[in-house]
């Protein structure tokens, strides 16, 4: 039997340094200035029914139903269609089908280039038979989702890579209920990303959909982490009995059980000394521990690892020890000729297995939040993760408050979903953004949120390099990260393509030196070159595997020689679809910078990178 140590019993707020409901000052600080995303934590461990499968599909390329709604084409109303009744110009039963999860672009050749609104429909069950609360959860709809239940609009969400949910308990009718989802994949000047980005905009209901059943009062979310040498746990209950409830946290196999009481807001924080024999998580020993939170008859459970990650001077320390992070970047596209979005855990695992085969301990999940399965696998397989939101390139509307609100919400959704994943070491706020005052204000605001939501991760961004004019010697160039944003980050990171874009050949990479003006750890977050798998030739010849491998050799040599870096994530694991890549012989809509091609075939650079990692 586990003993409850009452001395460790801490009521809500006592440890938080906030709460204390009597103090108006403290109460004011507690209120977040943005709507905290409402997400059910540890989703895979909940009682849930999958809504994946074949859904009906109606495309609306002119967006007529959105722009000119009318009974004839309000697809969401799901009108019965009879040939002798009023005119309705759609019919769900005779419409085409599409698989959910799945982007439409790679499911049907005629939809390959389609960007626009599409309506999806299926029936869902009525109320939960045992009177529990029922929620609809969408893991991702790209880019903008709108949801109707029995003709009534019930949810809307912008952002193609983070989840959203809506409670349907009181809206469900007995028997089948009509669920219609509009996914509109179009981007615009104030979206994230905006109009210009180097990947295929895979539209649709791209990740799984669930019906989740929960008790009247349930454990909505838990944040478990190692902080200041203690296990600290934030618990949030949802429901009529959320306030003043006893919550109990346990770590199985360690006889650890602690109780606390929630405050009037249904939240509690507890903190407990780390058990002496608790094995820390690392890429070499990815130990995970079963943890539970019980309250008011509900039970939340998860498997979490405990580790610390910090920046000290120019080093990155995992569990107190400096390490050079041996990484690679990847997009969330599955291996296979179609190159569509990852849909299953097996597809995510196949990608991460290649990352491991490279001898990597670090993966940059570019350039948007990847699916939850990938993060859970990274925990299990022992990979440190860099996770990012798509604040990408210079055409983002940095002076738009709507776009800032969107970026902050995306970041909050990503962190809320994944902060129990010990694999996550870095939250990245952006990729290659311009060094302008309005972008600085924008990203600083996002960074403030990150620190408030999760003080245990390193905050970073992939930055543009600056040429250090003072550092130029004969024929030599010094590339530095001097971006003012570096002041706000824990770790700075440089994207650079010497030897590919620009004047130099790989033979001249040694003329470049690297550094940063910030006394902070520096990562090389991108370098690379395109090569078509199977295209062989002289190393001087662009697009050959030899040329790419040569560029890898020279860049990795420069990285090792410079001593300036705490890690590297070459660009990238697998060739990915990009409508910006037009070369008829070598690209044909694919960015060819992968060390494996779309079929998973390894290029020469794969071995170059693996050899570098093995020698470290
Ligand atoms: C970059 C971007 C990345 C592109 C890559 C390329 O700097 O960050 O998204 O795909 O270059 O291949 O040019």
């Amino acid at each position: 039997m586990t003993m409850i140590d009452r001395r460790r019993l801490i009521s809500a707020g006592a440890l938080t340094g906030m709460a204390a409901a009597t103090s108006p000052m403290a109460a004011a600080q507690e209120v977040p200035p943005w709507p905290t995303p409402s997400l059910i934590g540890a989703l895979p461990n909940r009682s849930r029914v999958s809504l994946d499968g074949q859904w009906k599909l109606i495309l609306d390329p002119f967006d007529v139903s959105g722009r000119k709604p009318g009974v004839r084409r309000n697809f969401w109303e799901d009108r019965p269609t009879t040939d002798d009744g009023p005119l309705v110009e759609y019919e769900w039963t005779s419409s085409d089908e599409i698989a959910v999860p799945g982007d439409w672009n790679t499911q049907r050749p005629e939809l390959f280039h389609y960007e626009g609104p599409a309506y999806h429909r299926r029936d869902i069950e009525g109320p939960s038979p045992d009177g529990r609360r029922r929620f609809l959860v969408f893991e991702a709809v790209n880019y903008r989702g709108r949801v109707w239940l029995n003709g009534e609009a019930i949810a809307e969400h912008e952002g193609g890579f983070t989840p959203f949910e809506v409670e349907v308990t009181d809206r469900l009718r007995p028997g089948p209920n009509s669920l219609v989802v509009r996914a509109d994949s179009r981007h615009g000047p104030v979206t994230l990303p905006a109009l210009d980005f180097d990947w295929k905009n895979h539209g649709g209901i791209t990740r799984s959909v669930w019906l989740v059943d929960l008790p009247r009062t349930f454990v909505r979310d838990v944040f478990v982490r190692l902080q200041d040498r203690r296990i600290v746990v934030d618990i949030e209950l949802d429901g009529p009995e959320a306030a003043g409830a006893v919550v109990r946290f346990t770590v199985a196999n360690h006889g650890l059980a602690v109780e606390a009481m929630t405050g009037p807001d249904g939240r509690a924080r507890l903190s407990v000394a780390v058990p002496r024999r608790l094995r820390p998580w690392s890429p070499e020993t990815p130990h995970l521990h079963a943890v539970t939170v019980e309250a008011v008859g509900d039970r939340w459970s998860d498997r979490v690892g405990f580790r610390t990650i910090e920046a000290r001077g120019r080093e990155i320390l995992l569990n107190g020890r400096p390490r050079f992070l041996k990484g690679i970047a990847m997009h969330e596209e599955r291996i296979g000729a179609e190159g569509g979005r990852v849909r299953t855990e097996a597809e995510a695992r196949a990608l991460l297995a290649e990352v491991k085969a490279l001898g990597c301990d670090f993966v940059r999940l570019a350039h948007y939040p990847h699916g939850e399965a990938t993060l859970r696998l990274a925990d299990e397989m022992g990979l440190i993760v860099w996770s990012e939101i798509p604040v990408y390139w210079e055409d983002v509307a940095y002076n738009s408050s709507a776009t800032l609100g969107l970026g902050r919400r995306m970041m909050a959704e990503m962190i809320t979903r994944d902060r129990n994943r010990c694999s996550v070491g870095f939250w990245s706020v952006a990729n290659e953004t311009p060094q302008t005052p309005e972008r600085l204000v924008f990203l600083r605001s996002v960074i403030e949120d990150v620190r408030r939501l999760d003080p245990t991760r390193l905050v970073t961004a992939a930055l543009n390099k600056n040429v250090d004019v003072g550092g130029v010697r004969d024929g030599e160039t010094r590339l530095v990260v001097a971006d003012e944003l570096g002041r706000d980050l824990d770790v700075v990171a440089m994207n650079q393509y010497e030897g590919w874009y620009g004047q130099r050949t790989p033979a001249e990479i040694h003329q470049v030196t690297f550094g940063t003006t910030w006394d902070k750890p520096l990562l090389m977050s991108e370098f690379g070159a395109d090569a078509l798998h199977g295209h062989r030739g002289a190393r001087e010849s662009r697009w050959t595997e030899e040329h790419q491998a040569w560029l890898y050799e020279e860049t990795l040599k420069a990285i090792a020689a410079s001593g300036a870096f705490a890690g590297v994530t070459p660009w990238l694991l697998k060739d990915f679809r990009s409508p910006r890549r037009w070369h008829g012989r070598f690209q044909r809509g694919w960015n060819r910078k992968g060390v494996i091609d779309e079929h998973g075939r390894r290029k020469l650079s794969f071995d170059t990178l693996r050899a570098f990692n093995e020698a470290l």
Side-chain angles (χ1 to χ4, degrees):
M1 210 181 86
T2 50
M3 287 282 293
I4 296 172
D5 183 347
R6 296 272 160 192
R7 281 164 309 178
R8 292 187 302 215
L9 196 152
I10 293 145
S11 68
L15 257 173
T16 61
M18 33 183 205
T22 46
S23 149
M25 264 293 286
Q29 279 166 11
E30 223 181 320
V31 179
W34 80 97
T36 308
S38 183
L39 295 176
I40 298 164
L43 193 64
N45 305 328
R46 292 301 191 165
S47 147
R48 59 181 187 170
V49 175
S50 168
L51 298 182
D52 294 350
Q54 292 298 114
W55 291 45
K56 291 290 184 179
L57 181 78
I58 295 179
L59 284 196
D60 189 5
F62 293 160
D63 194 13
V64 265
S65 76
R67 291 184 299 109
K68 297 180 182 170
V71 285
R72 275 164 40 209
R73 52 181 164 261
N74 286 350
F75 311 124
W76 58 86
E77 285 179 357
D78 200 353
R79 292 186 161 252
T81 52
T82 50
D83 296 350
D84 51 1
L87 176 65
V88 176
E89 291 196 78
Y90 66 93
E91 183 178 62
W92 278 112
T93 49
S94 55
S95 295
D96 292 341
E97 295 198 334
I98 192 122
V100 169
D103 61 86
W104 57 62
N105 310 81
T106 59
Q107 292 198 50
R108 299 243 208 91
E110 73 275 19
L111 298 186
F112 184 73
H113 293 293
Y114 183 69
E115 293 202 9
Y119 292 77
H120 303 66
R121 188 208 174 279
R122 63 162 287 157
D123 278 337
I124 60 170
E125 295 168 22
S128 146
D130 49 9
R132 288 197 292 170
R133 294 169 68 182
R134 207 154 240 199
F135 293 79
L136 252 177
V137 181
F138 294 85
E139 291 194 35
V141 175
N142 188 36
Y143 164 78
R144 193 177 266 114
R146 196 179 298 165
V147 184
W148 291 265
L149 185 65
N150 300 321
E152 187 195 348
I154 58 166
E156 219 168 323
H157 183 262
E158 180 173 355
F161 303 100
T162 45
F164 62 100
E165 67 180 43
V166 54
E167 181 162 8
V168 290
T169 314
D170 299 326
R171 293 189 161 113
L172 289 167
R173 305 173 186 152
N177 287 250
S178 155
L179 177 65
V180 176
V181 179
R182 169 186 157 117
D184 185 347
S185 64
R186 289 172 296 178
H187 286 253
V190 295
T191 61
L192 287 176
L195 285 161
D196 192 12
F197 47 97
D198 186 24
W199 66 85
K200 173 114 187 127
N201 183 27
H202 294 292
I205 306 178
T206 50
R207 296 187 191 142
S208 292
V209 187
W210 305 95
L211 259 186
V212 184
D213 283 353
L214 292 160
R216 237 158 58 98
T217 298
F218 68 97
V219 183
R220 170 170 278 288
D221 196 22
V222 176
F223 177 23
V224 188
R225 73 279 191 183
L226 212 53
Q227 195 177 339
D228 304 328
R229 294 165 200 241
R230 297 179 70 81
I231 296 176
V232 181
V233 188
D234 284 338
I235 298 165
E236 182 192 346
L237 304 188
D238 181 322
E241 296 137 287
V246 175
V247 291
R248 179 188 161 95
F249 170 74
T250 65
V251 182
N253 304 330
H254 286 276
L256 192 74
V258 201
E259 285 190 355
M261 180 138 355
T262 55
D265 58 355
R267 291 166 193 259
R269 172 173 293 184
L270 46 84
S271 145
V272 57
V274 179
R276 243 188 297 131
R277 289 192 332 279
L278 191 83
R279 288 179 301 177
W281 181 95
S282 74
E284 295 72 36
T285 55
H287 298 303
L288 298 179
H289 308 268
V291 291
T292 62
V293 170
E294 285 161 295
V296 211
D298 188 30
R299 185 169 189 276
W300 171 101
S301 66
D302 210 341
R303 289 173 73 224
V304 303
F306 296 99
R307 52 107 197 90
T308 58
I309 189 158
E310 57 199 307
R312 194 173 62 197
R314 297 198 171 228
E315 290 179 326
I316 292 170
L317 278 59
L318 187 80
N319 297 322
R321 290 208 197 95
R323 63 193 286 151
F324 181 90
L325 299 179
K326 302 180 279 187
I328 186 113
M330 63 181 236
H331 267 288
E332 194 190 35
E333 253 189 23
R334 62 182 181 266
I335 296 172
E338 335 81 61
R341 280 261 166 267
V342 164
R343 301 158 301 192
T344 62
E345 189 195 273
E347 287 167 358
R349 191 185 288 278
L351 288 166
L352 294 186
E354 285 301 284
V355 174
K356 292 291 283 188
L358 279 165
C360 292
D361 57 14
F362 179 36
V363 63
R364 177 178 176 208
L365 302 181
H367 283 295
Y368 40 77
H370 289 214
E372 184 168 350
T374 296
L375 280 294
R376 289 185 171 273
L377 286 169
D379 273 10
E380 251 175 50
M381 296 167 78
L383 286 164
I384 299 168
V385 166
W386 157 315
S387 268
E388 184 163 301
I389 56 166
V391 178
Y392 183 91
W393 283 355
E394 62 275 357
D395 69 336
V396 166
Y398 294 105
N399 50 14
S400 151
S401 57
T403 308
L404 175 57
L406 175 63
R408 295 174 71 192
R409 189 172 44 71
M410 277 184 187
M411 185 51 102
E413 287 166 348
M414 174 170 80
I415 293 179
T416 309
R417 193 195 67 178
D418 292 336
R419 60 188 169 177
N420 285 326
R421 305 282 68 82
C422 59
S423 52
V424 176
F426 301 84
W427 299 124
S428 163
V429 295
N431 178 74
E432 291 184 358
T433 48
Q435 297 173 30
T436 59
E438 54 278 15
R439 163 278 201 171
L440 200 58
V441 170
F442 185 108
L443 291 181
R444 279 188 174 150
S445 168
V446 178
I447 291 169
E448 258 178 49
D449 289 352
V450 176
R451 299 205 183 279
R452 188 168 15 188
L453 283 162
D454 179 5
T456 70
R457 265 53 179 228
L458 299 171
V459 185
T460 193
L463 301 168
N464 287 320
K465 69 220 182 245
N466 299 84
V467 177
D468 182 354
V469 187
V472 179
R473 294 200 302 270
D474 292 340
E476 275 196 17
T477 302
R478 181 158 176 76
L479 298 181
V480 291
V481 168
D483 192 323
E484 188 53 30
L485 190 71
R487 191 182 303 284
D488 305 86
L489 301 172
D490 299 313
V491 172
V492 292
M494 176 195 287
N495 287 0
Q496 68 78 35
Y497 283 87
E498 288 298 326
W500 181 252
Y501 299 124
Q503 301 310 312
R504 285 194 178 82
T505 68
E508 292 155 336
I509 290 174
H510 67 89
Q511 299 168 353
V512 184
T513 61
F514 302 97
T516 174
T517 54
W518 299 103
D519 189 21
K520 301 195 175 187
L522 171 67
L523 298 172
M524 189 180 283
S525 38
E526 286 182 30
F527 78 84
D530 284 56
L532 180 66
H533 178 270
H535 180 55
R536 306 297 293 267
R539 67 179 197 176
E540 288 75 17
S541 184
R542 260 186 204 275
W543 311 104
T544 61
E545 288 191 39
E546 283 79 358
H547 186 268
Q548 187 192 40
W550 183 33
L551 182 138
Y552 266 62
E553 254 163 50
E554 295 302 324
T555 309
L556 293 169
K557 229 191 283 172
I559 287 173
S562 80
F565 292 96
V568 56
T569 51
W571 189 253
L572 82 170
L573 181 69
K574 187 186 78 71
D575 291 353
F576 62 99
R577 287 199 182 274
S578 169
R580 300 167 54 91
R581 307 289 167 177
W582 311 276
H583 196 297
R585 271 184 297 139
F586 303 116
Q587 294 179 312
R588 295 205 163 263
W590 291 87
N591 182 314
R592 293 278 176 214
K593 294 194 186 67
V595 297
I596 62 177
D597 76 353
E598 68 271 35
H599 306 287
R601 294 178 300 197
R602 296 174 181 177
K603 305 180 193 172
L604 291 177
S605 55
F606 188 99
D607 295 329
T608 313
L609 182 59
R610 182 167 51 189
F612 172 80
N613 288 337
E614 277 167 3
L616 279 173

